[in-house]
């Protein structure tokens, strides 16, 4: 492949500087290869950027804000993130789920505390469901944060997970729990799938997020998600890698000569950029990849903390605002239609309660989004604020400024967010197992020099870098005949650091 004018040959070029692109580059550079990352925007970070969206001093995470999968990532755990400025903040509770009557269900990292919020009977059922899956010091989560492996390393553990995970979240919650607190709490976790809760396999998303909470909490990064991306960039540069920003790529012919190209893009974008470097039939398969529902987000600058009707909701940085399981299910059911829910399930982050760098003294921020059908054009701001008022009366009175991201503006912000899809593609059962196409090596293509490393590959969405790591591992084996960097072995779960650490 000819080199672009004025460039030098490299071992690998990575297109896109999101979490997975940077992770892929770090893994390749760690194996001693020359690597350059090329990013279309002027800032790196993809779905984990931080910016002053509503005014000076109000720091908002533009996309991802809460990081349950980053802190358990087997690859991230091998990196010296703390040496490069990453400080995890662990609130007392991983998650709060307010209920209409003024109570709130809390997801505590300590399984032994679940009786405080769910009651003895449902807490026992919660333990019976999750405790066996936490065996072997997090081995199941390490297994799930990668492609389907045959044979799996822990077949019995994976089978136990599968028996519950294959079910619908609605069915599992109703059969397992009696109270609305436990049912709502589990349903809210499962709703991260962007699927109707009656859909098969939707329970798996609720299980993974609940397991992550008990394994390591749902932390935030002090100063914002950008700090995690900046740390990955610093580690890459320390390993000799290069980053070029502000350069959009439309064809491989524009890029330096390299032995491997890794795409932190959608499957369709890779097909377009690679062009005839990929067989026509494979390009058509990539172009048939389906994207999922969209996100509508509002960032708020506030004159005070969110005034929750349930004071316990202030113990977590992440709050699910949607009410009972019936209400959450009704909201997510609307994703299969053309019109968004009148009462949307809202995902809220209140980082400034725990991180004083996020807002000026005495002020606060709120990060709120809901799910909408793909490409939805309805302004959801009023509906989001009506939900916030239900569970936090007086919220509107505290709003001093808003910044709105519609599905269309999300796509303009990041081309990977097709129709506002921030999850890297539809999460139905077909694309859980065939992501982006049915293949034993989902990162590789028929061209041994070209790989996909975005969240459109296993294990999918989230800031964990594992899509990038596994794509880099595939390239290292196939092109460079080198072993992949070792992953962190599961470690015994320790007492989480106190809030603010």
């Amino acid at each position: 492949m000819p080199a672009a004018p004025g460039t030098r040959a490299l071992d690998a070029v990575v297109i896109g500087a999101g979490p997975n692109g940077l992770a892929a580059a770090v893994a390749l550079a760690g194996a001693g290869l020359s690597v350059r990352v090329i990013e279309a925007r002027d800032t790196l970070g993809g779905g984990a950027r931080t910016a002053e969206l509503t005014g000076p001093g109000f720091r908002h995470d533009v996309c991802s804000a809460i990081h349950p999968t980053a802190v358990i990532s087997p690859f991230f755990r091998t990196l010296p993130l703390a040496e490069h400025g990453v400080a995890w903040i662990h609130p007392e509770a991983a998650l709060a789920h307010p209920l209409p009557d003024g109570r709130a269900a809390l997801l505590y990292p300590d399984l032994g505390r679940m009786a405080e919020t769910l009651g003895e009977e449902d807490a026992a059922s919660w333990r019976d469901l999750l405790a066996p899956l936490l065996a072997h010091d997090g081995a199941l989560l390490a297994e799930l944060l990668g492609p389907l492996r045959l044979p799996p390393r822990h077949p019995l553990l994976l089978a136990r997970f599968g028996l519950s995970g294959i079910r619908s979240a609605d069915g599992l919650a109703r059969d397992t729990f009696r109270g609305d607190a436990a049912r709502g709490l589990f349903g809210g976790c499962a709703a991260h799938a962007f699927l109707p809760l009656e859909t098969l396999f939707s329970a798996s998303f609720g299980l993974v997020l609940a397991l992550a909470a008990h394994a390591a909490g749902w932390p935030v990064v002090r100063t914002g998600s950008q700090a995690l991306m900046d740390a990955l960039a610093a580690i890459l540069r320390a390993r000799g890698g290069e980053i070029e920003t502000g350069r959009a790529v439309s064809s491989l012919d524009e890029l330096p000569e390299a032995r491997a190209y890794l795409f932190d893009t959608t499957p369709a974008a890779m097909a377009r950029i690679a062009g005839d470097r990929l067989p026509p039939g494979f390009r058509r398969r990539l172009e048939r990849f389906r994207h999922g529902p969209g996100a509508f987000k509002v960032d708020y600058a506030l004159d005070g903390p969110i005034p929750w009707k349930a004071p316990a909701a202030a113990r977590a940085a992440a709050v699910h605002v949607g009410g009972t399981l019936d209400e959450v299910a009704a909201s997510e059911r609307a994703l299969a239609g053309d019109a968004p829910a009148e009462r949307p399930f809202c995902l809220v982050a209140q980082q400034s309660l725990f991180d004083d760098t996020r807002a000026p003294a005495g002020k606060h921020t709120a990060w709120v989004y809901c799910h909408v059908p793909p490409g939805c054009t309805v302004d959801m701001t009023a509906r989001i604020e009506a939900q916030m008022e239900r569970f936090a009366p007086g919220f509107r009175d505290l709003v001093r400024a808003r910044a709105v991201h519609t599905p269309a503006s999300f796509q303009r912000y990041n081309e990977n967010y097709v129709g506002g899809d921030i999850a890297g593609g539809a999460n139905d059962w077909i694309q859980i197992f065939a992501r982006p196409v049915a293949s034993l090596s989902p990162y590789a293509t028929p061209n041994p020099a070209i790989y996909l490393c975005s969240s459109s590959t296993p294990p999918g969405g989230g800031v964990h870098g594992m899509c990038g790591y596994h794509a880099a591992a595939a390239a290292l084996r196939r092109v460079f005949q080198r072993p992949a960097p070792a992953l962190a072995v599961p470690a015994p779960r320790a007492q989480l650091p106190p809030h603010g650490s």
Side-chain angles (χ1 to χ4, degrees):
M1 186 176 295
T7 61
R8 61 181 176 82
L10 297 159
D11 289 318
V13 171
V14 178
I15 298 95
N20 287 306
L22 290 172
V26 168
L28 293 167
L33 304 181
S34 58
V35 183
R36 182 180 301 167
V37 178
I38 297 178
E39 166 60 40
R41 291 180 61 87
D42 292 332
T43 58
L44 55 83
R49 294 184 176 101
T50 303
E52 293 183 336
L53 299 177
T54 58
F58 291 92
R59 295 178 56 80
H60 302 273
D61 292 323
V62 183
C63 298
S64 182
I66 308 293
H67 298 293
T69 56
V71 75
I72 62 171
S73 166
F75 181 56
F76 284 174
R77 286 173 54 212
T78 68
L79 303 178
L81 297 174
E83 295 175 18
H84 293 279
V86 175
W88 297 109
I89 296 176
H90 291 269
E92 179 185 358
L95 168 69
H97 188 108
L99 295 163
D101 62 6
R103 292 176 296 141
L106 298 181
L107 178 48
Y108 289 112
D110 183 355
L111 270 171
R113 292 193 65 184
M114 295 305 292
E116 297 175 21
T117 185
L118 303 184
E120 291 292 344
E121 184 176 7
D122 273 348
S125 297
W126 188 275
R127 287 193 300 272
D128 290 344
L129 177 65
L130 296 171
L133 302 178
L134 289 164
H136 305 288
D137 297 322
L140 174 64
L141 287 168
E143 190 92 39
L144 295 173
L145 286 173
L148 183 64
R149 192 189 307 272
L150 296 174
R153 288 198 180 99
H154 300 275
L156 296 180
L157 196 58
L158 197 60
R160 182 158 192 159
F161 171 83
L163 288 173
S164 296
I166 196 173
R167 299 188 59 186
S168 73
D170 186 81
L172 182 64
R174 294 185 192 281
D175 289 347
T176 306
F177 308 115
R178 293 194 175 186
D180 54 1
R183 288 177 173 179
L185 185 64
F186 185 82
C189 290
H192 283 251
F194 283 81
L195 290 172
L197 299 191
E198 297 84 4
T199 305
L200 289 178
F201 288 98
S202 58
S204 65
F205 292 84
L207 289 171
V208 168
L209 287 175
L211 289 169
H214 293 304
W218 286 20
V220 300
V221 183
R222 182 170 174 79
T223 74
S225 299
Q226 186 73 53
L228 178 57
M229 299 299 98
D230 290 345
L232 291 176
I235 293 168
L236 174 60
R237 291 185 176 110
R239 294 180 175 186
E242 305 170 356
I243 300 173
E244 181 179 353
T245 59
R247 180 179 177 185
V249 176
S250 59
S251 169
L252 278 184
D253 294 334
E254 303 170 4
L255 297 178
E257 182 179 355
R259 296 172 65 189
Y261 296 88
L262 288 83
F263 286 76
D264 187 6
T265 68
T266 66
M270 182 176 74
R272 182 180 69 253
I273 294 169
D276 60 10
R277 310 283 182 182
L278 294 173
F282 187 75
R283 293 203 307 271
R284 286 193 293 272
R285 292 174 70 194
L286 293 175
E287 289 162 356
R288 289 196 295 267
F289 183 81
R290 290 172 293 103
H291 287 274
F296 186 103
K297 177 170 176 277
V298 187
D299 287 284
Y300 293 94
L302 303 175
D303 282 328
I306 299 173
W308 299 110
K309 187 189 304 184
R315 298 179 192 173
V319 185
H320 288 165
V321 173
T324 64
L325 175 62
D326 286 341
E327 291 180 292
V328 175
S331 173
E332 300 307 283
R333 198 177 301 127
L335 300 179
D338 297 324
E342 289 294 328
R343 281 187 165 185
F345 169 67
C346 298
L347 298 94
V348 180
Q350 47 186 2
Q351 304 97 311
S352 60
L353 279 183
F354 307 94
D355 179 1
D356 60 9
T357 71
R358 301 297 187 104
K363 307 301 180 183
H364 285 271
T365 60
W367 172 104
V368 187
Y369 83 92
C370 67
H371 302 157
V372 294
C376 178
T377 59
V378 176
D379 187 340
M380 297 295 290
T381 306
R383 299 186 198 187
I384 285 173
E385 292 182 5
Q387 282 287 69
M388 294 299 293
E389 282 290 322
R390 280 183 67 204
F391 295 92
F395 173 80
R396 284 195 190 97
D397 295 336
L398 295 174
V399 175
R400 59 187 291 127
R402 299 172 180 82
V404 174
H405 269 92
T406 66
S409 65
F410 263 131
Q411 184 170 343
R412 289 192 297 271
Y413 173 78
N414 187 333
E415 289 186 11
N416 287 5
Y417 296 160
V418 177
D421 172 15
I422 62 174
N427 283 319
D428 56 65
W429 71 270
I430 295 175
Q431 285 195 172
I432 289 176
F433 296 104
R435 190 178 186 94
V437 298
S439 172
L440 293 176
S441 182
Y443 314 96
T445 73
N447 184 329
I450 297 176
Y451 298 82
L452 186 66
C453 68
S454 70
S455 58
S456 296
T457 64
V463 178
H464 43 64
M466 295 306 297
C467 308
Y469 168 84
H470 288 295
L476 285 167
R477 289 190 299 267
R478 192 179 182 193
V479 179
F480 302 100
Q481 288 77 52
R482 300 189 189 189
L487 294 173
V489 296
R493 289 180 293 129
Q495 179 66 37
L496 290 176
H499 143 61
S501 65

